[in-house]
Amino acid sequence: MTRQAKTWLVIGAVFVALLVARGMIGQGLGRVYVKRTDVTVTLPDAAAVNSAAAGASSASASASTSASTTAVSAQATAPSITSTSLASGTTMSWQEWKQVPPLEFIAAQKENPAQTEITLSWPRTIGLWLAAFFTLAIFSFLYADNPFYKIAESLVVGVSAAYWGVIGFWDTLVPKMFGALTPGLVKSLVQPSLIAPEMLQQISMVFALILGVMMLWRLLPRGGWISAWPLAFIVGVTAGLKIVSHVESDLMAQAAATMKPLIVSVTDASGATNIWDSWWASVANVLLVTGVICCLAYFFFSVEHKGVVGGAARVGIWYLMITFGAAFGFTVMGRIALLAARVEFLFDDWLWLIDPNHLRGL
Amino acid sequence: MKRIIPMWIAIIGGFAMMLSSFIPLAESAGEMFADVFNVVAAIAFVLGAGSLAKQHLEKLSRRDAGWGYSIITLGSFLITLFIGMLKIGIHPNPSFPQAAYSGSNDAEGSAWSWIYEYMITPLTSTMFALLAFFVASAAFRAFRAKNTEAILLLGTAFIVLLGRTFAGVVLTGWFPDWASGLRLENLSIYVMQVFNTAGNRAIMIGIALGVAATGLRILFGIDRSWLGGGDA
């Protein structure tokens, strides 16, 4: 056994011993409780809904709530229904589980030890422990590269790739492309409120589909050049979009925001001029305008940085150094905030050592 | 043929987008191009996913070093994809109960939200949190107050960091009211509002000019380096 393996073994053993000890003290650790809500939905009568939708486009859903049962009538909110796989009037019901603080479970147990409305959620509890494991696995990289970190790293890649793929599918491809090309299917399965697409929209989506298929051609061993066409479309449209948006929001807006008065008069509530505030506001505006001009002088390479331009460029460098220092400070602050959030997760949600939100009545 | 057609596709698509901002009649054409762009960009995710799967499958078949981690990557990828695409465990939207897939993937308690809450969030946020250590370590080793520029950078970083923490408030909290502008929290605000704004503004103006110039070079067919082959 290598020295590193021995170190990991010792760290692991100490850690497990501490966890077991923590589990036997006080309220224990790392559990998630959920509250059950029963949802019952009655399928609307298609003909009635269609006539109602034609007569009045604005209607409201009626909901009735009993002790632990929420009955939602979807008759009014569901617009034109053309196809349905289930018969009208069929009742569907399911249970929803909302996370509740442990304090609520303790109170419910005190009131009625046999209650089943608030229970321990095993899937979420396992998830919590997995999340804690992943957090520690990634932090373990601070000691050395190790299999735990590599497992976590591999999971990040796999899960993230699929996550963004799924988001792209449901948020863009289904409503835009499938909604235009197969509106009936999308309407019956996903989005009954879908508005019928226009011919031009359908043609544009056929064009998009062709470009998409051409793009996927890159995965095949031959004919990779075909994917250059959709790539060209992306490059061209991005260029067209970015030229306008950057010139509008960065160049014009930032230049306009820099056109500030160099002498400012600040008045108080009585209408009198506040000399001290006026002086500070004027200095701030002078420094701001000077800074922007000097930084731009530094970025202007068509003229040699000598004389006045050289002096301005030098001041520009100082401004830029201050900007980079502030950016560095902000980056560190952001990372520290994330670190604090992860540490809080470990100590609060998982180990139950602290209770800043008073969720466990510590 | 392999270069001319893509170049014209880029020119037509780019000018259509540009003109739609200036000509009201072309607005709908611009929206249509934007929709096509969004769909093609979404399909690009499929390409990315396919490429990832292909690369890891090749690694597996060759039994390269660390192939076991490729199994984890592929497994997590396929499971997440399966759960997300089929909306496993997601009930229909109560407003549209007849549409089986009308429920949102983000519904609490669903398998998808479980993956997001207990896998994606801890994994990604801890990855970013890890950078706190590396940034601090790199700064400690690299930052030396050797000249005016370095002193300005270091000084500003300290002011911004201390000005936004309790320590900074305590350190300079005893300053009298007439010198309250020198308290670290106020200095930090002043640095951000004046010097940082000026620097960032100049950078943004520079970026905008650069983007416009590069974009126009592409749209006029002057810059063709993106087509590959090194023909700039």
Short mmCIF file of all heavy atoms in Angstrom, two decimals, chain A residues 41 74 78-79 94 99 123-124 154 159 162-163 170 176 189-190 204 232 236 238 241 254 257-258 280 295 314 322-323 330 335 342, chain B residues 6 10 14 35 69 73 84-85 91 94 96-97 101-102 108-109 112 114 120 122 125-126 128 149 156 190 192 199 201-202 204:
data_model
loop_
_atom_site.label_atom_id
_atom_site.label_comp_id
_atom_site.label_asym_id
_atom_site.label_seq_id
_atom_site.Cartn_x
_atom_site.Cartn_y
_atom_site.Cartn_z
N VAL A 41 -57.08 15.74 -10.27
CA VAL A 41 -57.44 16.55 -11.44
C VAL A 41 -58.48 15.82 -12.25
O VAL A 41 -58.35 14.62 -12.51
CB VAL A 41 -56.18 16.83 -12.31
CG1 VAL A 41 -56.57 17.63 -13.54
CG2 VAL A 41 -55.13 17.55 -11.53
N ALA A 74 -59.43 21.66 -14.15
CA ALA A 74 -58.70 22.26 -15.26
C ALA A 74 -59.61 22.63 -16.41
O ALA A 74 -59.15 22.96 -17.49
CB ALA A 74 -57.64 21.29 -15.74
N ALA A 78 -57.70 24.97 -19.62
CA ALA A 78 -57.25 24.24 -20.81
C ALA A 78 -57.99 24.75 -22.04
O ALA A 78 -59.19 24.59 -22.14
CB ALA A 78 -57.52 22.76 -20.63
N PRO A 79 -57.27 25.37 -22.97
CA PRO A 79 -57.94 25.88 -24.16
C PRO A 79 -58.22 24.75 -25.15
O PRO A 79 -58.16 23.58 -24.80
CB PRO A 79 -56.95 26.89 -24.72
CG PRO A 79 -55.64 26.44 -24.20
CD PRO A 79 -55.87 25.67 -22.96
N TRP A 94 -52.48 12.17 -8.00
CA TRP A 94 -51.11 11.81 -7.65
C TRP A 94 -50.72 12.52 -6.37
O TRP A 94 -51.47 13.37 -5.88
CB TRP A 94 -50.15 12.16 -8.79
CG TRP A 94 -50.07 13.61 -9.15
CD1 TRP A 94 -49.32 14.56 -8.53
CD2 TRP A 94 -50.75 14.28 -10.22
NE1 TRP A 94 -49.49 15.77 -9.14
CE2 TRP A 94 -50.34 15.62 -10.19
CE3 TRP A 94 -51.65 13.86 -11.21
CZ2 TRP A 94 -50.82 16.57 -11.10
CZ3 TRP A 94 -52.11 14.80 -12.12
CH2 TRP A 94 -51.70 16.14 -12.05
N GLN A 99 -40.64 19.61 0.52
CA GLN A 99 -39.68 19.53 1.62
C GLN A 99 -40.10 20.46 2.76
O GLN A 99 -40.52 21.59 2.53
CB GLN A 99 -38.28 19.92 1.13
CG GLN A 99 -37.21 19.65 2.16
CD GLN A 99 -35.81 19.80 1.59
OE1 GLN A 99 -35.62 19.61 0.40
NE2 GLN A 99 -34.86 20.12 2.43
N PRO A 123 -35.19 9.11 -0.74
CA PRO A 123 -34.46 9.58 -1.93
C PRO A 123 -33.73 10.91 -1.68
O PRO A 123 -32.58 11.09 -2.07
CB PRO A 123 -35.56 9.77 -2.98
CG PRO A 123 -36.68 8.94 -2.52
CD PRO A 123 -36.60 8.89 -1.03
N ARG A 124 -34.41 11.84 -1.00
CA ARG A 124 -33.77 13.14 -0.77
C ARG A 124 -32.66 13.05 0.28
O ARG A 124 -31.67 13.77 0.20
CB ARG A 124 -34.83 14.17 -0.35
CG ARG A 124 -35.78 14.46 -1.48
CD ARG A 124 -36.68 15.62 -1.17
NE ARG A 124 -37.89 15.54 -1.96
CZ ARG A 124 -38.71 16.53 -2.17
NH1 ARG A 124 -38.49 17.70 -1.62
NH2 ARG A 124 -39.80 16.38 -2.91
N SER A 154 -15.69 13.44 -13.48
CA SER A 154 -16.34 12.72 -14.58
C SER A 154 -17.86 12.92 -14.53
O SER A 154 -18.51 13.05 -15.57
CB SER A 154 -16.03 11.22 -14.50
OG SER A 154 -14.65 11.02 -14.43
N VAL A 159 -23.10 14.73 -16.45
CA VAL A 159 -24.39 15.29 -16.05
C VAL A 159 -24.61 16.66 -16.72
O VAL A 159 -25.71 16.95 -17.21
CB VAL A 159 -24.47 15.40 -14.51
CG1 VAL A 159 -25.72 16.14 -14.08
CG2 VAL A 159 -24.46 14.02 -13.88
N ALA A 162 -25.54 16.36 -20.48
CA ALA A 162 -26.93 15.91 -20.65
C ALA A 162 -27.91 16.99 -20.20
O ALA A 162 -28.94 17.21 -20.84
CB ALA A 162 -27.16 14.64 -19.84
N TYR A 163 -27.56 17.69 -19.13
CA TYR A 163 -28.45 18.74 -18.59
C TYR A 163 -28.73 19.80 -19.67
O TYR A 163 -29.88 20.13 -19.95
CB TYR A 163 -27.80 19.37 -17.37
CG TYR A 163 -28.60 20.50 -16.77
CD1 TYR A 163 -29.67 20.24 -15.93
CD2 TYR A 163 -28.29 21.83 -17.05
CE1 TYR A 163 -30.41 21.27 -15.39
CE2 TYR A 163 -29.03 22.87 -16.52
CZ TYR A 163 -30.08 22.58 -15.68
OH TYR A 163 -30.82 23.61 -15.16
N TRP A 170 -36.17 20.64 -24.53
CA TRP A 170 -37.51 21.01 -24.06
C TRP A 170 -37.81 22.50 -24.19
O TRP A 170 -38.96 22.88 -24.39
CB TRP A 170 -37.71 20.56 -22.60
CG TRP A 170 -37.94 19.09 -22.47
CD1 TRP A 170 -37.10 18.17 -21.93
CD2 TRP A 170 -39.09 18.36 -22.92
NE1 TRP A 170 -37.63 16.92 -22.02
CE2 TRP A 170 -38.86 16.99 -22.61
CE3 TRP A 170 -40.27 18.71 -23.56
CZ2 TRP A 170 -39.77 16.01 -22.91
CZ3 TRP A 170 -41.19 17.71 -23.86
CH2 TRP A 170 -40.93 16.37 -23.54
N LYS A 176 -40.27 25.44 -30.50
CA LYS A 176 -40.01 26.14 -31.76
C LYS A 176 -40.03 25.21 -32.97
O LYS A 176 -40.78 25.46 -33.92
CB LYS A 176 -38.66 26.88 -31.68
CG LYS A 176 -38.72 28.12 -30.78
CD LYS A 176 -37.47 28.93 -30.91
CE LYS A 176 -37.39 30.02 -29.87
NZ LYS A 176 -38.46 31.00 -29.96
N LEU A 189 -49.40 16.37 -26.55
CA LEU A 189 -48.52 15.80 -25.53
C LEU A 189 -47.89 16.81 -24.59
O LEU A 189 -47.64 16.53 -23.42
CB LEU A 189 -47.39 15.01 -26.21
CG LEU A 189 -47.73 13.64 -26.78
CD1 LEU A 189 -46.55 13.04 -27.48
CD2 LEU A 189 -48.23 12.70 -25.69
N VAL A 190 -47.60 17.99 -25.10
CA VAL A 190 -46.79 18.92 -24.31
C VAL A 190 -47.49 20.24 -24.02
O VAL A 190 -47.54 20.69 -22.87
CB VAL A 190 -45.44 19.23 -25.04
CG1 VAL A 190 -44.54 20.08 -24.16
CG2 VAL A 190 -44.74 17.95 -25.44
N SER A 204 -39.27 28.03 -42.27
CA SER A 204 -38.01 28.40 -41.61
C SER A 204 -37.52 27.26 -40.72
O SER A 204 -36.31 27.02 -40.59
CB SER A 204 -38.19 29.68 -40.79
OG SER A 204 -38.98 29.44 -39.66
N ALA A 232 -21.50 28.31 -40.79
CA ALA A 232 -21.48 29.62 -41.45
C ALA A 232 -22.71 30.42 -41.04
O ALA A 232 -22.62 31.64 -40.79
CB ALA A 232 -21.47 29.42 -42.96
N GLY A 236 -22.43 33.95 -39.18
CA GLY A 236 -23.01 35.14 -39.80
C GLY A 236 -24.06 35.80 -38.92
O GLY A 236 -24.01 37.01 -38.68
N THR A 238 -24.52 35.43 -35.70
CA THR A 238 -23.91 35.95 -34.47
C THR A 238 -23.22 37.29 -34.76
O THR A 238 -23.36 38.24 -33.98
CB THR A 238 -22.87 34.94 -33.92
OG1 THR A 238 -23.50 33.69 -33.78
CG2 THR A 238 -22.34 35.37 -32.57
N LEU A 241 -25.89 39.96 -35.20
CA LEU A 241 -26.51 40.29 -33.90
C LEU A 241 -25.57 41.09 -33.02
O LEU A 241 -25.96 42.09 -32.41
CB LEU A 241 -26.85 38.99 -33.16
CG LEU A 241 -28.23 38.37 -33.35
CD1 LEU A 241 -28.29 37.05 -32.63
CD2 LEU A 241 -29.30 39.30 -32.79
N GLN A 254 -22.30 53.52 -23.51
CA GLN A 254 -21.19 53.85 -22.61
C GLN A 254 -20.61 55.23 -22.93
O GLN A 254 -20.25 55.98 -22.03
CB GLN A 254 -20.08 52.79 -22.71
CG GLN A 254 -20.49 51.41 -22.26
CD GLN A 254 -20.94 51.38 -20.81
OE1 GLN A 254 -20.45 52.12 -19.97
NE2 GLN A 254 -21.92 50.55 -20.53
N ALA A 257 -23.04 57.73 -21.56
CA ALA A 257 -22.97 57.81 -20.10
C ALA A 257 -21.74 58.56 -19.62
O ALA A 257 -21.70 59.03 -18.48
CB ALA A 257 -22.99 56.40 -19.51
N THR A 258 -20.74 58.67 -20.49
CA THR A 258 -19.51 59.38 -20.09
C THR A 258 -19.62 60.88 -20.34
O THR A 258 -18.81 61.66 -19.82
CB THR A 258 -18.31 58.79 -20.88
OG1 THR A 258 -18.37 57.38 -20.80
CG2 THR A 258 -16.98 59.23 -20.33
N TRP A 280 -17.35 67.09 -4.37
CA TRP A 280 -17.07 65.66 -4.53
C TRP A 280 -17.65 65.11 -5.83
O TRP A 280 -17.01 64.34 -6.54
CB TRP A 280 -17.64 64.85 -3.36
CG TRP A 280 -16.62 64.60 -2.29
CD1 TRP A 280 -16.65 65.08 -1.01
CD2 TRP A 280 -15.41 63.84 -2.40
NE1 TRP A 280 -15.54 64.67 -0.32
CE2 TRP A 280 -14.75 63.90 -1.15
CE3 TRP A 280 -14.83 63.12 -3.43
CZ2 TRP A 280 -13.55 63.27 -0.91
CZ3 TRP A 280 -13.61 62.49 -3.18
CH2 TRP A 280 -12.98 62.57 -1.94
N CYS A 295 -7.77 55.79 -20.70
CA CYS A 295 -7.76 54.34 -21.01
C CYS A 295 -7.89 54.14 -22.51
O CYS A 295 -7.21 53.27 -23.09
CB CYS A 295 -8.90 53.62 -20.30
SG CYS A 295 -8.66 53.47 -18.53
N ARG A 314 -0.25 56.47 -19.95
CA ARG A 314 0.31 56.04 -18.65
C ARG A 314 -0.76 56.12 -17.56
O ARG A 314 -0.90 55.19 -16.75
CB ARG A 314 1.51 56.93 -18.32
CG ARG A 314 2.21 56.64 -17.04
CD ARG A 314 3.63 56.16 -17.30
NE ARG A 314 4.28 55.78 -16.04
CZ ARG A 314 4.52 54.53 -15.74
NH1 ARG A 314 4.21 53.56 -16.55
NH2 ARG A 314 5.14 54.25 -14.61
N ILE A 322 -6.21 49.68 -11.49
CA ILE A 322 -7.22 49.78 -10.41
C ILE A 322 -8.43 48.90 -10.78
O ILE A 322 -8.98 48.19 -9.94
CB ILE A 322 -7.63 51.25 -10.20
CG1 ILE A 322 -6.45 52.04 -9.63
CG2 ILE A 322 -8.84 51.35 -9.27
CD1 ILE A 322 -6.67 53.53 -9.52
N THR A 323 -8.82 48.96 -12.06
CA THR A 323 -9.97 48.14 -12.52
C THR A 323 -9.68 46.65 -12.33
O THR A 323 -10.53 45.89 -11.85
CB THR A 323 -10.26 48.42 -14.01
OG1 THR A 323 -10.40 49.81 -14.18
CG2 THR A 323 -11.51 47.72 -14.48
N PHE A 330 -13.28 41.33 -6.49
CA PHE A 330 -14.64 40.83 -6.66
C PHE A 330 -14.65 39.32 -6.92
O PHE A 330 -15.50 38.60 -6.41
CB PHE A 330 -15.32 41.55 -7.82
CG PHE A 330 -16.33 42.54 -7.35
CD1 PHE A 330 -16.06 43.89 -7.36
CD2 PHE A 330 -17.55 42.12 -6.87
CE1 PHE A 330 -16.97 44.80 -6.90
CE2 PHE A 330 -18.48 43.03 -6.41
CZ PHE A 330 -18.20 44.38 -6.43
N ARG A 335 -15.84 33.85 -5.05
CA ARG A 335 -15.42 32.47 -4.76
C ARG A 335 -15.52 32.17 -3.27
O ARG A 335 -15.93 31.08 -2.87
CB ARG A 335 -13.98 32.21 -5.23
CG ARG A 335 -13.73 32.50 -6.68
CD ARG A 335 -14.64 31.71 -7.58
NE ARG A 335 -14.37 31.97 -8.97
CZ ARG A 335 -15.27 31.97 -9.93
NH1 ARG A 335 -16.52 31.74 -9.64
NH2 ARG A 335 -14.94 32.19 -11.18
N ARG A 342 -20.88 26.41 0.52
CA ARG A 342 -20.63 24.96 0.57
C ARG A 342 -20.33 24.51 2.01
O ARG A 342 -20.79 23.45 2.45
CB ARG A 342 -19.46 24.56 -0.33
CG ARG A 342 -19.66 24.73 -1.80
CD ARG A 342 -21.03 24.40 -2.29
NE ARG A 342 -21.43 23.02 -2.07
CZ ARG A 342 -22.69 22.60 -2.08
NH1 ARG A 342 -23.67 23.43 -2.28
NH2 ARG A 342 -22.97 21.34 -1.87
N PRO B 6 -20.62 28.55 -47.88
CA PRO B 6 -20.68 28.94 -46.47
C PRO B 6 -20.47 30.46 -46.27
O PRO B 6 -21.13 31.07 -45.44
CB PRO B 6 -19.54 28.15 -45.82
CG PRO B 6 -19.33 26.99 -46.70
CD PRO B 6 -19.65 27.45 -48.08
N ALA B 10 -23.15 32.99 -44.46
CA ALA B 10 -22.81 33.89 -43.35
C ALA B 10 -23.16 35.33 -43.71
O ALA B 10 -23.73 36.07 -42.88
CB ALA B 10 -21.31 33.78 -43.04
N GLY B 14 -26.03 37.25 -41.66
CA GLY B 14 -25.55 38.40 -40.88
C GLY B 14 -26.21 39.69 -41.28
O GLY B 14 -26.68 40.46 -40.43
N ASP B 35 -34.94 32.71 -34.67
CA ASP B 35 -35.52 31.41 -34.30
C ASP B 35 -34.71 30.26 -34.89
O ASP B 35 -34.43 29.27 -34.21
CB ASP B 35 -36.98 31.32 -34.78
CG ASP B 35 -37.93 32.03 -33.83
OD1 ASP B 35 -37.48 32.37 -32.72
OD2 ASP B 35 -39.10 32.25 -34.21
N TYR B 69 -13.19 5.97 -15.70
CA TYR B 69 -13.88 7.26 -15.50
C TYR B 69 -14.78 7.57 -16.69
O TYR B 69 -15.78 8.29 -16.54
CB TYR B 69 -12.87 8.38 -15.27
CG TYR B 69 -12.03 8.15 -14.03
CD1 TYR B 69 -10.67 7.91 -14.12
CD2 TYR B 69 -12.62 8.15 -12.77
CE1 TYR B 69 -9.91 7.67 -12.99
CE2 TYR B 69 -11.86 7.92 -11.63
CZ TYR B 69 -10.52 7.68 -11.75
OH TYR B 69 -9.78 7.43 -10.63
N THR B 73 -18.64 8.88 -16.78
CA THR B 73 -19.11 10.01 -17.59
C THR B 73 -20.26 9.58 -18.49
O THR B 73 -21.31 10.23 -18.53
CB THR B 73 -17.96 10.56 -18.45
OG1 THR B 73 -16.88 10.92 -17.59
CG2 THR B 73 -18.38 11.77 -19.24
N GLY B 84 -34.27 13.27 -18.16
CA GLY B 84 -34.71 14.59 -18.63
C GLY B 84 -35.57 14.54 -19.87
O GLY B 84 -36.59 15.22 -19.96
N MET B 85 -35.22 13.71 -20.82
CA MET B 85 -35.98 13.65 -22.08
C MET B 85 -37.36 13.04 -21.87
O MET B 85 -38.32 13.46 -22.50
CB MET B 85 -35.22 12.83 -23.13
CG MET B 85 -33.90 13.43 -23.54
SD MET B 85 -34.08 14.95 -24.43
CE MET B 85 -33.81 14.39 -26.06
N HIS B 91 -45.45 14.90 -13.14
CA HIS B 91 -46.88 14.85 -13.39
C HIS B 91 -47.26 15.95 -14.37
O HIS B 91 -46.58 16.97 -14.45
CB HIS B 91 -47.64 15.03 -12.08
CG HIS B 91 -47.24 14.02 -11.05
ND1 HIS B 91 -47.52 12.68 -11.21
CD2 HIS B 91 -46.55 14.13 -9.90
CE1 HIS B 91 -47.03 12.02 -10.16
NE2 HIS B 91 -46.43 12.88 -9.36
N PRO B 94 -51.43 20.69 -13.93
CA PRO B 94 -52.86 20.57 -13.57
C PRO B 94 -53.78 21.34 -14.52
O PRO B 94 -54.95 21.00 -14.66
CB PRO B 94 -52.92 21.14 -12.16
CG PRO B 94 -51.56 20.94 -11.60
CD PRO B 94 -50.63 21.11 -12.77
N PHE B 96 -53.35 21.42 -17.76
CA PHE B 96 -53.45 20.62 -18.99
C PHE B 96 -53.24 19.15 -18.65
O PHE B 96 -52.27 18.53 -19.09
CB PHE B 96 -52.38 21.06 -20.00
CG PHE B 96 -52.38 22.52 -20.29
CD1 PHE B 96 -51.27 23.30 -19.98
CD2 PHE B 96 -53.48 23.13 -20.88
CE1 PHE B 96 -51.26 24.64 -20.24
CE2 PHE B 96 -53.46 24.49 -21.15
CZ PHE B 96 -52.35 25.24 -20.83
N PRO B 97 -54.13 18.56 -17.85
CA PRO B 97 -53.89 17.17 -17.40
C PRO B 97 -53.87 16.15 -18.52
O PRO B 97 -53.30 15.08 -18.38
CB PRO B 97 -55.03 16.92 -16.42
CG PRO B 97 -56.08 17.87 -16.82
CD PRO B 97 -55.41 19.07 -17.38
N TYR B 101 -46.90 15.27 -21.12
CA TYR B 101 -45.58 15.88 -20.92
C TYR B 101 -45.67 17.39 -20.67
O TYR B 101 -44.71 18.12 -20.90
CB TYR B 101 -44.69 15.60 -22.14
CG TYR B 101 -44.30 14.16 -22.27
CD1 TYR B 101 -45.05 13.29 -23.05
CD2 TYR B 101 -43.20 13.66 -21.59
CE1 TYR B 101 -44.71 11.95 -23.15
CE2 TYR B 101 -42.85 12.32 -21.68
CZ TYR B 101 -43.61 11.47 -22.47
OH TYR B 101 -43.27 10.15 -22.56
N SER B 102 -46.82 17.86 -20.18
CA SER B 102 -46.98 19.31 -19.99
C SER B 102 -46.35 19.79 -18.69
O SER B 102 -46.14 20.98 -18.50
CB SER B 102 -48.46 19.68 -20.02
OG SER B 102 -49.14 18.98 -18.99
N GLU B 108 -40.81 20.24 -8.03
CA GLU B 108 -40.14 19.73 -6.83
C GLU B 108 -40.43 18.25 -6.64
O GLU B 108 -41.56 17.80 -6.82
CB GLU B 108 -40.61 20.52 -5.59
CG GLU B 108 -39.72 20.22 -4.40
CD GLU B 108 -40.27 20.79 -3.10
OE1 GLU B 108 -41.01 21.78 -3.13
OE2 GLU B 108 -39.93 20.23 -2.04
N GLY B 109 -39.41 17.53 -6.29
CA GLY B 109 -39.58 16.10 -6.02
C GLY B 109 -39.37 15.22 -7.24
O GLY B 109 -39.36 13.99 -7.12
N TRP B 112 -35.57 14.78 -12.07
CA TRP B 112 -34.75 15.83 -12.69
C TRP B 112 -34.30 16.85 -11.65
O TRP B 112 -33.14 17.25 -11.60
CB TRP B 112 -35.55 16.51 -13.80
CG TRP B 112 -34.78 17.56 -14.53
CD1 TRP B 112 -34.92 18.90 -14.40
CD2 TRP B 112 -33.74 17.37 -15.50
NE1 TRP B 112 -34.05 19.56 -15.22
CE2 TRP B 112 -33.31 18.64 -15.91
CE3 TRP B 112 -33.14 16.23 -16.05
CZ2 TRP B 112 -32.30 18.81 -16.84
CZ3 TRP B 112 -32.13 16.42 -16.98
CH2 TRP B 112 -31.73 17.68 -17.37
N TRP B 114 -34.05 16.35 -8.54
CA TRP B 114 -33.13 15.64 -7.64
C TRP B 114 -31.71 15.74 -8.21
O TRP B 114 -30.76 16.03 -7.49
CB TRP B 114 -33.57 14.18 -7.52
CG TRP B 114 -32.83 13.37 -6.50
CD1 TRP B 114 -33.22 13.15 -5.21
CD2 TRP B 114 -31.58 12.68 -6.66
NE1 TRP B 114 -32.29 12.37 -4.56
CE2 TRP B 114 -31.27 12.06 -5.43
CE3 TRP B 114 -30.70 12.51 -7.72
CZ2 TRP B 114 -30.12 11.31 -5.22
CZ3 TRP B 114 -29.54 11.76 -7.53
CH2 TRP B 114 -29.27 11.17 -6.29
N ILE B 120 -25.87 18.46 -9.70
CA ILE B 120 -25.31 19.60 -10.46
C ILE B 120 -24.91 20.73 -9.54
O ILE B 120 -23.79 21.26 -9.63
CB ILE B 120 -26.32 20.07 -11.53
CG1 ILE B 120 -26.49 18.98 -12.58
CG2 ILE B 120 -25.84 21.36 -12.19
CD1 ILE B 120 -27.53 19.26 -13.63
N PRO B 122 -24.19 20.91 -6.10
CA PRO B 122 -22.98 20.73 -5.28
C PRO B 122 -21.71 20.57 -6.12
O PRO B 122 -20.67 21.11 -5.76
CB PRO B 122 -23.26 19.48 -4.46
CG PRO B 122 -24.37 18.78 -5.13
CD PRO B 122 -25.16 19.83 -5.84
N SER B 125 -20.91 24.17 -7.96
CA SER B 125 -20.58 25.27 -7.04
C SER B 125 -19.32 24.95 -6.23
O SER B 125 -18.54 25.85 -5.93
CB SER B 125 -21.75 25.62 -6.12
OG SER B 125 -22.10 24.54 -5.35
N THR B 126 -19.08 23.67 -5.93
CA THR B 126 -17.85 23.34 -5.21
C THR B 126 -16.64 23.49 -6.12
O THR B 126 -15.57 23.92 -5.67
CB THR B 126 -17.90 21.90 -4.63
OG1 THR B 126 -19.15 21.70 -4.01
CG2 THR B 126 -16.81 21.68 -3.61
N PHE B 128 -16.33 25.73 -8.42
CA PHE B 128 -16.03 27.16 -8.44
C PHE B 128 -15.46 27.62 -7.10
O PHE B 128 -14.58 28.48 -7.05
CB PHE B 128 -17.27 27.97 -8.81
CG PHE B 128 -17.56 27.95 -10.28
CD1 PHE B 128 -18.65 27.28 -10.78
CD2 PHE B 128 -16.72 28.59 -11.17
CE1 PHE B 128 -18.91 27.24 -12.15
CE2 PHE B 128 -16.96 28.56 -12.54
CZ PHE B 128 -18.06 27.89 -13.02
N GLU B 149 2.19 50.37 -10.87
CA GLU B 149 1.04 49.62 -11.38
C GLU B 149 0.68 48.47 -10.43
O GLU B 149 -0.50 48.26 -10.11
CB GLU B 149 1.34 49.05 -12.78
CG GLU B 149 1.35 50.07 -13.89
CD GLU B 149 2.68 50.81 -14.00
OE1 GLU B 149 3.62 50.44 -13.28
OE2 GLU B 149 2.76 51.77 -14.78
N THR B 156 -5.93 48.28 -4.57
CA THR B 156 -7.36 48.26 -4.89
C THR B 156 -7.99 46.93 -4.46
O THR B 156 -9.09 46.92 -3.92
CB THR B 156 -7.57 48.46 -6.41
OG1 THR B 156 -6.78 49.55 -6.84
CG2 THR B 156 -9.01 48.72 -6.74
N TYR B 190 -16.28 54.20 -3.56
CA TYR B 190 -15.73 55.26 -4.40
C TYR B 190 -14.87 54.68 -5.52
O TYR B 190 -14.98 55.09 -6.68
CB TYR B 190 -14.92 56.22 -3.53
CG TYR B 190 -14.79 57.59 -4.14
CD1 TYR B 190 -15.89 58.45 -4.17
CD2 TYR B 190 -13.60 58.02 -4.70
CE1 TYR B 190 -15.79 59.70 -4.74
CE2 TYR B 190 -13.48 59.28 -5.27
CZ TYR B 190 -14.58 60.11 -5.29
OH TYR B 190 -14.49 61.34 -5.87
N MET B 192 -15.14 51.72 -6.80
CA MET B 192 -16.01 51.02 -7.75
C MET B 192 -16.77 52.00 -8.65
O MET B 192 -16.93 51.76 -9.84
CB MET B 192 -17.02 50.14 -7.01
CG MET B 192 -16.43 48.99 -6.24
SD MET B 192 -15.35 47.95 -7.20
CE MET B 192 -16.49 47.24 -8.34
N GLY B 199 -12.46 52.48 -16.04
CA GLY B 199 -11.68 51.42 -16.68
C GLY B 199 -12.56 50.46 -17.45
O GLY B 199 -12.30 50.14 -18.61
N ARG B 201 -15.55 50.97 -18.54
CA ARG B 201 -16.22 51.64 -19.65
C ARG B 201 -15.30 51.66 -20.88
O ARG B 201 -15.73 51.38 -21.99
CB ARG B 201 -16.58 53.06 -19.21
CG ARG B 201 -17.64 53.69 -20.03
CD ARG B 201 -18.24 54.87 -19.32
NE ARG B 201 -19.34 54.49 -18.45
CZ ARG B 201 -19.98 55.32 -17.65
NH1 ARG B 201 -19.60 56.59 -17.57
NH2 ARG B 201 -20.99 54.91 -16.92
N ALA B 202 -14.05 51.98 -20.65
CA ALA B 202 -13.09 52.02 -21.77
C ALA B 202 -12.91 50.63 -22.36
O ALA B 202 -12.84 50.48 -23.59
CB ALA B 202 -11.75 52.57 -21.28
N MET B 204 -15.13 48.23 -22.35
CA MET B 204 -16.37 47.89 -23.09
C MET B 204 -16.42 48.61 -24.44
O MET B 204 -16.84 48.03 -25.44
CB MET B 204 -17.60 48.24 -22.25
CG MET B 204 -17.84 47.24 -21.13
SD MET B 204 -19.00 47.85 -19.92
CE MET B 204 -20.53 47.53 -20.73
#
